Amino acid sequence: MKWRLWHGRVDRAIRDLEQLLVRLKQSQRESEFLIARLHSLGSQLLTYISSSRGAIINYGKRYRAGLRVATTLAESAVNSLVGKRMVKKQQMRWSLHGAHMLMQVRTAVLNGELRDRLRAPFRQPEPNVPSIFKPKPPLLRAA
């Protein structure tokens, strides 16, 4: 399963997981807690993979193309830039949207894309960005 996901074979991974869940369901008895737990976790994994299908990266292809695969730089940026500011006891905290926007800028800097992005015309947020990070319209006040 892991190998298939790593190499971008998402449809095959989903099909294999579905077959595994069918076999688990067939062998499951009411008293077998471990099989029931495994089936539950497998179902959750299937739901996650199916709903994230378009966002799953083919890391094998990226690796062969000489592109970055590890997230070490991004994780270190999150820890140093956002981690301290998002602590609850901090006097001035960032909003989730503000933190997300900062990470977009930081990622563009690390990828060497910031200059091109600043020159490009304004674009709407990507449709697959979680709604928690999308800007909210201003509140309307009664006149």
Side-chain angles (χ1 to χ4, degrees):
M1 185 74 55
K2 182 179 174 183
W3 186 92
R4 292 194 196 294
L5 292 172
W6 178 272
H7 289 88
R9 296 194 171 98
V10 180
D11 292 331
R12 181 64 193 262
I14 289 172
R15 192 169 57 244
D16 289 350
L17 186 53
E18 288 171 341
Q19 291 172 357
L20 176 65
L21 290 173
V22 167
R23 286 191 302 218
L24 280 173
K25 191 71 170 176
Q26 291 170 348
S27 68
Q28 182 179 356
R29 294 185 198 129
E30 292 178 18
S31 62
E32 295 184 26
F33 175 75
L34 293 177
I35 291 178
R37 179 75 175 137
L38 183 59
H39 186 274
S40 172
L41 293 172
S43 296
Q44 291 174 26
L45 178 61
L46 178 62
T47 300
Y48 174 78
I49 293 171
S50 298
S51 63
S52 304
R53 177 183 297 191
I56 296 176
I57 297 168
N58 185 338
Y59 288 105
K61 184 177 180 182
R62 286 184 61 82
Y63 178 78
R64 287 187 298 279
L67 299 172
R68 229 180 248 157
V69 173
T71 59
T72 308
L73 288 175
E75 289 173 19
S76 122
V78 167
N79 288 335
S80 63
L81 294 174
V82 178
K84 293 177 186 174
R85 188 60 85 160
M86 295 298 289
V87 175
K88 286 187 177 185
K89 294 180 182 178
Q90 195 67 321
Q91 196 171 27
M92 291 184 64
R93 290 179 57 198
W94 286 334
S95 66
L96 289 176
H97 176 70
H100 178 72
M101 292 292 108
L102 175 69
M103 294 315 301
Q104 294 294 317
V105 171
R106 183 69 179 135
T107 302
V109 168
L110 290 174
N111 289 341
E113 301 170 349
L114 183 62
R115 180 170 289 167
D116 294 334
R117 285 189 176 199
L118 290 174
R119 290 181 179 159
F122 180 77
R123 293 178 288 185
Q124 294 294 324
E126 297 294 327
N128 60 356
V129 173
S131 61
I132 194 168
F133 295 121
K134 291 183 182 173
K136 296 179 178 135
L139 296 174
L140 297 176
R141 296 183 184 187

